Amino acid sequence: MSDLKELFREKAELVAAKVTSIKSMDEAYAYAANYVAEKNPCELLIPSSPDAPQPEFAKEKIMAAPELSDEQYAALAKECEAKGVKLIKDGMRNYMAGIDAGFTFADAGLIETGSIVQQSNGEELRLATMVSEAHIAVLPASKIYEDSIAAEQLLLELMSGVAYTAFITGPSRTADIERTLAIGAHGPLELHILLLED
């Protein structure tokens, strides 16, 4: 298992993901709350001039954590409250361009591409992974696969019926404007993967 973890870490870091090993969910909650508390304000909300009006939520550090169980949400909320971070579970459309981080669980990790796989059927989950400045995803080590062939059975389950399954590889990037690489143009500026021992 440790070989798979190290191979996944290596491949994910090659595509600019930040990978951290954790031993418990408490560590994951603390990591996420600390990250948001210590990061700079959302860059999209920095006023263009001193007189430019700012939305009320621009004064807060905000983390979105949809689709957590009540117990998980309460544990993360406790960490966030201690750090002065506002935690939201839904209503993300009211905070567009103002979510510092989205906190989610990955369904799988693929060594071949350094990607995480996430079934994102709910709009709130999709928004948390796409409009946040950073995406923090917990990946249980037992869900790391060598490639999509090895993960075939899981992928078939995730994509059965009406499903939105995302393969997320590093932070969002594009080079379609004058072939200049832009990070965060279509999604988060950073992807943090927390490898959970399980």
Side-chain angles (χ1 to χ4, degrees):
M1 178 62 70
S2 64
D3 288 345
L4 290 178
K5 277 178 27 186
E6 288 312 308
L7 284 170
F8 179 81
R9 175 190 302 277
E10 181 182 316
K11 291 291 189 164
E13 288 176 346
L14 283 173
V15 292
K18 297 176 183 181
V19 183
T20 303
S21 293
I22 57 171
K23 291 183 174 28
S24 69
M25 283 306 300
D26 287 339
E27 279 187 57
Y29 303 141
Y31 179 100
N34 286 332
Y35 170 79
V36 173
E38 294 173 6
K39 76 178 278 300
N40 290 327
C42 278
E43 292 179 22
L44 295 174
L45 293 176
I46 294 172
S48 55
S49 74
D51 300 329
Q54 284 288 308
E56 276 304 307
F57 64 82
K59 300 174 181 117
E60 302 174 290
K61 298 282 187 102
I62 301 171
M63 185 185 322
E67 299 193 15
L68 267 61
S69 70
D70 291 341
E71 182 180 318
Q72 292 167 332
Y73 189 83
L76 181 55
K78 183 178 176 184
E79 289 288 336
C80 287
E81 185 178 349
K83 295 290 184 179
V85 173
K86 180 176 182 173
L87 183 64
I88 61 173
K89 192 171 194 167
D90 52 30
M92 263 149 275
R93 285 185 175 270
N94 298 323
Y95 296 92
M96 296 299 249
I99 301 173
D100 293 282
F103 183 88
T104 68
F105 290 93
D107 293 299
L110 303 178
I111 293 171
E112 179 180 41
T113 56
S115 305
I116 58 172
V117 179
Q118 190 165 49
Q119 187 179 53
S120 305
N121 290 341
E123 180 186 56
E124 298 291 342
L125 184 58
R126 286 194 302 275
L127 288 173
T129 63
M130 292 191 300
V131 302
S132 301
E133 276 203 347
H135 177 192
I136 301 169
V138 176
L139 172 62
S142 63
K143 293 186 177 184
I144 295 174
Y145 297 87
E146 289 182 18
D147 53 28
S148 57
I149 302 299
E152 179 182 13
Q153 187 58 46
L154 173 66
L155 295 175
L156 287 171
E157 290 169 19
L158 292 174
M159 293 187 273
S160 66
V162 177
Y164 182 102
T165 302
F167 289 67
I168 302 168
T169 308
S172 170
R173 64 185 69 221
T174 186
D176 59 356
I177 300 172
E178 297 182 9
R179 294 185 220 165
T180 302
L181 180 63
I183 303 292
H186 304 297
L189 293 163
E190 296 179 15
L191 173 62
H192 296 250
I193 302 170
L194 305 182
L195 285 178
L196 175 65
E197 297 288 342
D198 63 342

